[in-house]
Amino acid sequence: MQIAQINVGRVRYPLDDPRMAGFVDNLARVNAIAERSEGFVWRLIGEGDDATSIKLTDDPQFIINMSVWAGPEALEAFVYRTVHGRFVQRREDWFEPYPGPFLALWWVGEGERPTPQEGLRRLRLLEAQGPSSEAFTLTRRFPMPAR
């Protein structure tokens, strides 16, 4: 089994606004680091080389990111112990405060690639019920289910 993740946000400005340049101009760099990271399996890609073009809502400033990792430890290492961590620290520069959880994790079978709709469903489940074996967080993890 592997760990899937979705993270979402509502950008403060349109992606082509100069105030978003620090985020947009580094997407390819951060994605390349993810792909070279130990435990990386897959990431969602829309038009171009990232997922910013994938729209799940009518809100043009709502963006998503999804990936699959060997396990939560590999994801956590990428998120906090690579250059990505600097972008996490600057999240408020580019993203509005999010009213609920903006990250959800869940276990998937090896080779499974979750859809954006599945990711959004898991995020909503986490918001409605709190962490569970169906949707959890890096700080409140659930063990890999027996298969």
Side-chain angles (χ1 to χ4, degrees):
M1 304 249 352
Q2 299 171 325
I3 204 82
Q5 73 82 27
I6 183 170
N7 65 82
V8 302
R10 186 167 194 287
V11 291
R12 290 186 179 275
Y13 316 100
L15 291 174
D16 60 357
D17 187 296
R19 293 170 287 189
M20 293 297 295
F23 174 76
V24 173
D25 293 350
N26 284 287
L27 281 172
R29 175 180 168 218
V30 171
N31 287 334
I33 291 167
E35 290 175 349
R36 291 190 308 267
S37 294
E38 186 172 340
F40 172 83
V41 176
W42 169 86
R43 70 181 172 90
L44 180 66
I45 300 173
E47 295 175 18
D49 192 37
D50 57 55
T52 58
S53 65
I54 297 171
K55 299 302 177 196
L56 286 179
T57 71
D58 293 334
D59 183 348
Q61 289 180 236
F62 181 81
I63 63 172
I64 70 166
N65 182 15
M66 291 181 66
S67 55
V68 174
W69 295 79
E73 298 81 9
L75 173 61
E76 183 175 49
F78 164 70
V79 169
Y80 297 112
R81 293 192 289 278
T82 69
V83 71
H84 182 274
R86 288 189 237 153
F87 293 93
V88 171
Q89 292 172 342
R90 293 191 58 199
R91 182 176 174 88
E92 292 180 6
D93 291 350
W94 303 303
F95 293 88
E96 294 179 354
Y98 200 70
F102 57 84
L103 169 79
L105 309 176
W106 67 99
W107 292 101
V108 295
E110 193 168 324
E112 287 182 40
R113 301 298 177 254
T115 65
Q117 294 78 12
E118 172 69 6
L120 196 55
R121 185 183 76 76
R122 298 288 181 146
L123 195 63
R124 289 179 175 152
L125 183 66
L126 177 62
E127 182 173 18
Q129 300 178 0
S132 71
S133 61
E134 298 296 313
F136 49 95
T137 67
L138 281 170
T139 57
R140 181 65 173 96
R141 299 176 190 175
F142 279 73
M144 182 186 315
R147 277 215 158 175

